[in-house]
Amino acid sequence: MRARLLLALGLAFTGETALAVCGDQDGVCKTDAGAYQIELPATDNPPLVVFMHGYGGTGTGTLKNRAMVDPLLNRGYAVMAPEGSERNGRQSWNFFPGWDGRDEAAFLTEAVQDAAKRFDVDPGRVVLSGFSAGAFMVYYLACAAPENFSAYAPVSGGFWRPHPETCEGPVRLFHTHGWTDNVVPLEGRILGGGRFHQGDIFAGLEIWRVANECVDTKPSGFSTTGQFMRRNWMGCAESSALEFALFPGGHTVPKGWADMMVDWYEGLPGS
């Protein structure tokens, strides 16, 4: 019934999913602070994955990654692809504290609220995710206000130096990274002739363990899922979750990530 209603309101269906049409530009939904695209599953009141593109990317480019988008839709999740703000002539995210530009936390909150009104997505079940610069944004939003979204799932991105001294908690975060990533190496790298320095991923995990009040630095468990080598930390603050998945590839959203992330999210209490 819901799918037929949305079709009548102007959705273009492909199989059992729909790319929403908002206003005068097909596929683009505009809010006061920005724009997003969204694809919907054939279910009522679905949970939502908000996935932020990397530096120079677009929402259209995000949705072209069908190896990521289709598994999420098939699992009953709506997929939102927000548009970054302009930085140095390209779309990115205003993630670093103190930079001038759009209030990204306000924009993303506005976009989720807009999607809840237009398309009946569940604003209480939202996973904030992103790749590269989008993952940088995930890290800083999770650090400042972990309660804004129900979970965080960055891919191939973390903090920049200087690392935050502290983060708010508890947070539910699942970080995925490539062993051979040379764009955002695990140890970080220097950019802009020394003006910027990407942070160390393992130092970031330490910050999350502190925020989550974990009793030990040692991982609580290890597992493998296909190509992914995983470790998690338990014995931490109530309602917290922290997991790290390493895969053998480079700077990419790896195949298999979507299902693995959803399995993790749906295994969390209250999800």
Side-chain angles (χ1 to χ4, degrees):
M1 179 65 182
R2 175 64 180 171
R4 292 194 294 272
L5 175 60
L6 289 177
L7 177 60
L9 292 174
L11 294 180
F13 274 77
T14 302
E16 293 186 342
T17 65
L19 176 63
V21 177
C22 299
D24 59 358
Q25 187 173 358
D26 287 356
V28 177
C29 304
K30 295 182 180 179
T31 70
D32 290 341
Y36 67 90
Q37 297 183 55
I38 188 169
E39 289 197 36
L40 304 168
T43 57
D44 295 345
N45 195 221
L48 175 66
V49 174
V50 178
F51 197 94
M52 293 179 283
H53 60 72
Y55 178 74
T58 64
T60 298
T62 295
L63 296 181
K64 286 182 178 179
N65 184 355
R66 304 314 303 183
M68 178 189 76
V69 175
D70 287 341
L72 294 172
L73 294 171
N74 292 338
R75 296 286 294 269
Y77 286 72
V79 181
M80 177 187 287
E83 301 288 352
S85 52
E86 184 174 320
R87 298 198 66 82
N88 301 319
R90 305 183 72 181
Q91 284 197 161
S92 189
W93 304 94
N94 187 35
F95 60 83
F96 196 76
W99 281 358
D100 293 330
R102 183 172 69 183
D103 183 337
E104 305 288 20
F107 162 59
L108 292 168
T109 299
E110 177 185 79
V112 170
Q113 291 173 346
D114 185 79
K117 292 177 182 178
R118 291 182 193 259
F119 309 115
D120 194 35
V121 301
D122 186 348
R125 293 185 294 161
V126 181
V127 179
L128 184 66
S129 187
F131 170 67
S132 194
F136 299 152
M137 190 74 255
V138 172
Y139 252 63
Y140 283 98
L141 290 175
C143 181
E147 71 282 358
N148 281 8
F149 300 94
S150 56
Y152 297 83
V155 181
S156 303
F159 290 125
W160 281 23
R161 293 181 184 274
H163 299 115
E165 292 185 5
T166 61
C167 283
E168 297 296 324
V171 67
R172 306 202 297 182
L173 186 138
F174 186 9
H175 182 122
T176 306
H177 216 99
W179 175 255
T180 59
D181 192 331
N182 202 36
V183 177
V184 183
L186 289 165
E187 300 81 5
R189 67 177 176 127
I190 296 172
L191 299 169
R195 291 184 298 135
F196 307 112
H197 195 166
Q198 292 172 353
D200 186 292
I201 298 303
F202 289 98
L205 290 170
E206 171 68 9
I207 293 169
W208 296 127
R209 288 194 297 269
V210 172
N212 281 356
E213 302 176 4
C214 297
V215 297
D216 197 351
T217 56
K218 177 184 176 182
S220 303
F222 302 87
S223 63
T224 58
T225 302
Q227 65 176 330
F228 300 98
M229 297 181 293
R230 303 168 60 175
R231 56 176 62 195
N232 65 75
W233 287 265
M234 301 176 69
C236 307
E238 186 177 358
S239 300
S240 71
L242 181 61
E243 185 155 341
F244 180 62
L246 193 65
F247 64 96
H251 194 63
T252 187
V253 181
K255 290 184 179 180
W257 172 82
D259 277 315
M260 177 180 66
M261 186 278 292
V262 170
D263 287 343
W264 169 81
Y265 176 64
E266 293 184 348
L268 299 176
S271 295

